[in-house]
Amino acid sequence: MNQLTQILRQLQALVMGMNPQSRVLAGLMLVSILVGAGFLAQGYSGGTVAMEYLFDGQNFNTEELDQFEVAFSTAALRAYQRNGTRIQVPKGSKDSYLKALKDANAIPLRLGTEMDEFTKGGNILETGLSTQLRYRNTRIKALQNALTTLPFVREALVTYDERTEGFSSDKKKTANVAIYPRGNNQLTESQKQSIISYIQTSFSGLRRSDVALLDMSRAETTVGNEDPEALAHDQYLKTKAFYEQDLKRKALELLAAYGDVEVGVNVELDSTLSEETEELKYNDKPTTLQSTTTKKDVDTQRMNAGGRPGAEPNAMANRSASLTPPDQSSKTKEQSETARSVAGSSVSSIRKVGLKLTSATLSVSVPFSYYQKAYLHSWQMRNPDQQASAAPAPKESDITAIKLETKNAIQAKLEPILDKAAPGEDKFPRIAVTDYIDSPKPTLPEPSLTSQALDWLADSWQTLALLGLAGVALVSLRSFAKTEAAGGDAAFERGFDIPLDDAADIDLAGLADNEEIDEPRGEDGESLVLRTTGGDLKQDLTQLVRANPDAAATLLRNWISEG
């Protein structure tokens, strides 16, 4: 505390020791320093405030943007900017804006955070019905947030209801979706069916026919259809749109050198969703699965009865012939074969993807200004030593030739991206090239000098104020310096306009509050009190100051006051 008091006394003594001009100059400098520090604290930089998008430039719906503005207004933060569906805040005070959103519980929720909040809530005393209702509300809120993230949806409202009819235990389930598109554009049929499918699969046991979608831009209600043919038609339209967008993208990339070209695409698909073929063929010759062969050979011989026993019957003499039959023999062969055969067959199964692209046509419109640019380029190629301004006006024949050349070039570029047509079926050209007159776009009026000056002043008034304050301080310092210089030696040289005879009679003792002042003496005993002799007053004052500075100051003060 004593140290602080001592510092304050030193400052007070310093201020009191200053002349009025120095005090004014010190005050101006102090104000300049405080103003500059305030600008730095507010993120001031080069006359403009550096801005930054919140949450990396994320897009928000209208409800979220309104919540942001309410949070900023509550925290007295007004330097933000609302650009479309995004928010810009000063870069130097971004933390303050984020803190304001957190305090107001306006931080945008990410997808899936609703279910996290559901798991955190609840208590052990909560009934099962309350938990079920809270879970349903959380699901509905998650669906709404998911729908609003779609690029063509501005706001979405989802309602769901369950009720029991009569004494049946089955519950009747219905869901309604209200969509407010962005830019007041009407929802396409594909977008409607996609939203209905998403809602129908989000609730267990919900049918497509129980989902109704309201397009708030046209006040049209679409009810889901369970007809398989309707689903097939929707799939056909989606596939057709995919092929058309893909061909248009490729065509625009190839024709980028022709300027602002307009491309129209139409494709035709095979109406077959899918195709599966299975074929069974039998072979002419059967295929043997099992074969068995059995063979049996039997050889039998039978002998006849012999002659009379003894030698005589066996002698060489004549004897009577026997008429008995000769010996008998027989041979028998048996063979059996058993075969098990089946008729040979082959099975072939073919499955093809449906909705195949069968034909496509392109319509290309070239801006008429391209033909003029092409003519000037061709003329300069033939006349390289002349300026383009010297080119004559193109004739009709020249434009016609350029059109034909452009048409052939465009067809040659786009032909490879189209499938080859079957022979004899291409009765009309698949690539049509036309032109359109591209009228010059209306130029926006340039801002007037007054509006530019006002905008510049609105952005740079802080800089101007700071520079003006510094300029005033410098001018004041210059004027103070001139004042000090003007009163320096001139009055002193004139002797402050005091007569020398009157100055010789001044009583220094009486001027010092009636206190006796010893006359200063030199080494030789001579008095050093100022006594003018008509000589150099400056030299006399110098001697007096050396001898007694207090007396000299008192003398000068009295001279000035009397003068």
Side-chain angles (χ1 to χ4, degrees):
M1 188 66 182
N2 295 332
Q3 186 176 4
L4 179 61
T5 304
Q6 184 179 1
I7 293 175
L8 293 177
R9 288 179 179 177
Q10 292 177 356
L11 291 177
Q12 183 179 4
L14 180 62
V15 174
M16 294 302 294
M18 294 181 178
N19 54 27
Q21 296 88 345
S22 300
R23 294 175 186 176
V24 173
L25 182 60
L28 291 176
M29 291 299 181
L30 180 61
V31 172
S32 301
I33 293 173
L34 294 178
V35 172
F39 289 160
L40 292 176
Q42 293 180 359
Y44 174 79
S45 174
T48 58
V49 179
M51 304 296 288
E52 182 180 359
Y53 283 104
L54 274 182
F55 303 106
D56 298 330
Q58 179 182 350
N59 295 315
F60 305 100
N61 54 38
T62 306
E63 181 181 357
E64 291 175 334
L65 293 175
D66 294 341
Q67 292 178 356
F68 292 169
E69 292 188 349
V70 172
F72 297 155
S73 300
T74 304
L77 300 173
R78 299 178 178 84
Y80 66 91
Q81 295 179 1
R82 182 170 173 173
N83 296 333
T85 58
R86 298 186 294 177
I87 288 288
Q88 276 186 322
V89 299
K91 191 173 183 180
S93 57
K94 181 180 177 182
D95 297 340
S96 301
Y97 286 85
L98 293 177
K99 185 177 182 301
L101 293 179
K102 184 178 180 181
D103 295 340
N105 197 19
I107 299 292
L109 297 177
R110 304 291 182 181
L111 293 179
T113 55
E114 297 85 359
M115 301 308 298
D116 295 338
E117 296 295 331
F118 169 77
T119 56
K120 295 179 182 178
N123 52 70
I124 192 173
L125 300 178
E126 186 178 20
T127 62
L129 180 60
S130 300
T131 303
Q132 184 178 2
L133 292 176
R134 190 163 57 86
Y135 176 74
R136 182 189 302 174
N137 293 334
T138 304
R139 289 288 307 279
I140 291 175
K141 187 177 181 180
L143 292 176
Q144 292 179 167
N145 292 336
L147 291 176
T148 52
T149 57
L150 296 176
F152 54 87
V153 176
R154 181 180 178 182
E155 293 183 9
L157 175 64
V158 180
T159 59
Y160 177 77
D161 183 36
E162 291 183 358
R163 64 181 182 273
T164 303
E165 296 180 351
F167 297 98
S168 176
S169 59
D170 296 336
K171 293 183 179 180
K172 178 66 176 177
K173 303 177 181 180
T174 57
N176 298 323
V177 188
I179 299 296
Y180 187 41
R182 292 188 183 274
N184 202 24
N185 296 323
Q186 185 178 5
L187 294 176
T188 63
E189 188 65 26
S190 176
Q191 293 171 351
K192 293 179 181 179
Q193 296 300 327
S194 298
I195 295 175
I196 291 175
S197 299
Y198 178 67
I199 297 298
Q200 183 256 332
T201 55
S202 298
F203 296 98
S204 177
L206 187 64
R207 297 178 299 178
R208 289 180 64 88
S209 58
D210 296 330
V211 182
L213 185 144
L214 173 62
D215 185 356
M216 300 181 67
S217 63
R218 297 295 184 272
E220 296 178 355
T221 302
T222 303
V223 181
N225 195 346
E226 296 286 350
D227 188 5
E229 294 183 359
L231 298 178
H233 181 68
D234 182 57
Q235 185 177 359
Y236 179 88
L237 294 179
K238 289 182 180 179
T239 308
K240 178 180 173 67
F242 169 76
Y243 279 115
E244 290 177 349
Q245 293 176 0
D246 186 60
L247 283 177
K248 184 176 181 179
R249 177 185 59 81
K250 294 179 180 178
L252 290 175
E253 290 178 355
L254 293 174
L255 303 179
Y258 292 90
D260 191 9
V261 178
E262 297 179 355
V263 178
V265 183
N266 181 50
V267 300
E268 295 182 4
L269 307 177
D270 186 2
S271 58
T272 304
L273 293 178
S274 62
E275 182 180 356
E276 186 174 357
T277 304
E278 185 174 354
E279 184 178 2
L280 177 62
K281 293 182 179 180
Y282 291 96
N283 299 331
D284 296 337
K285 296 181 179 180
T287 301
T288 302
L289 298 179
Q290 184 177 2
S291 177
T292 304
T293 303
T294 304
K295 296 178 66 177
K296 184 178 179 181
D297 295 340
V298 180
D299 189 1
T300 306
Q301 291 183 357
R302 186 177 179 182
M303 302 294 296
N304 292 330
R308 288 182 300 170
E312 181 179 358
N314 299 319
M316 299 300 296
N318 292 332
R319 59 181 181 272
S320 59
S322 177
L323 298 178
T324 60
D327 296 337
Q328 297 180 358
S329 62
S330 63
K331 294 183 179 180
T332 304
K333 293 184 179 181
E334 295 181 2
Q335 182 175 355
S336 62
E337 295 182 0
T338 303
R340 184 181 177 184
S341 304
V342 294
S345 63
S346 60
V347 180
S348 60
S349 179
I350 301 174
R351 186 173 183 178
K352 299 180 180 179
V353 178
L355 300 179
K356 182 181 179 182
L357 178 65
T358 57
S359 64
T361 56
L362 298 176
S363 176
V364 181
S365 295
V366 181
F368 189 81
S369 59
Y370 171 78
Y371 302 137
Q372 298 176 342
K373 294 178 182 179
Y375 169 76
L376 290 177
H377 177 72
S378 176
W379 185 86
Q380 282 190 313
M381 293 294 292
R382 297 192 303 268
N383 303 275
D385 55 341
Q386 297 187 15
Q387 299 293 332
S389 58
K395 300 179 180 179
E396 184 178 358
S397 58
D398 298 332
I399 297 298
T400 303
I402 295 175
K403 285 184 178 181
L404 181 59
E405 182 181 356
T406 303
K407 178 180 179 181
N408 295 333
I410 290 177
Q411 290 179 346
K413 281 189 174 183
L414 298 182
E415 191 67 32
I417 66 176
L418 299 178
D419 294 338
K420 294 183 180 179
E425 294 184 1
D426 193 4
K427 298 180 181 180
F428 301 97
R430 298 190 297 170
I431 303 175
V433 181
T434 58
D435 57 79
Y436 69 94
I437 298 178
D438 50 336
S439 57
K441 298 181 180 179
T443 57
L444 298 177
E446 296 184 358
S448 62
L449 182 61
T450 304
S451 62
Q452 290 181 355
L454 292 177
D455 293 341
W456 181 79
L457 288 175
D459 293 337
S460 306
W461 69 268
Q462 299 96 334
T463 304
L464 295 178
L466 189 61
L467 292 177
L469 194 59
V472 171
L474 292 176
V475 172
S476 301
L477 180 62
R478 182 172 179 271
S479 62
F480 300 156
K482 284 185 175 181
T483 302
E484 292 291 336
D489 295 335
F492 188 83
E493 293 291 343
R494 294 195 307 269
F496 301 101
D497 297 330
I498 300 176
L500 298 179
D501 296 337
D502 297 339
D505 299 332
I506 294 177
D507 186 6
L508 295 179
L511 297 178
D513 298 332
N514 298 324
E515 295 179 1
E516 294 183 359
I517 301 177
D518 296 334
E519 292 183 357
R521 300 287 180 174
E523 296 179 356
D524 55 355
E526 184 180 359
S527 176
L528 296 178
V529 176
L530 178 64
R531 300 184 185 278
T532 57
T533 59
D536 191 356
L537 179 62
K538 186 175 182 180
Q539 184 177 0
D540 296 339
L541 286 175
T542 303
Q543 295 177 357
L544 177 61
V545 169
R546 290 177 179 176
N548 193 342
D550 295 335
T554 303
L555 176 63
L556 291 176
R557 182 168 59 251
N558 284 275
W559 281 356
I560 294 172
S561 61
E562 291 177 0

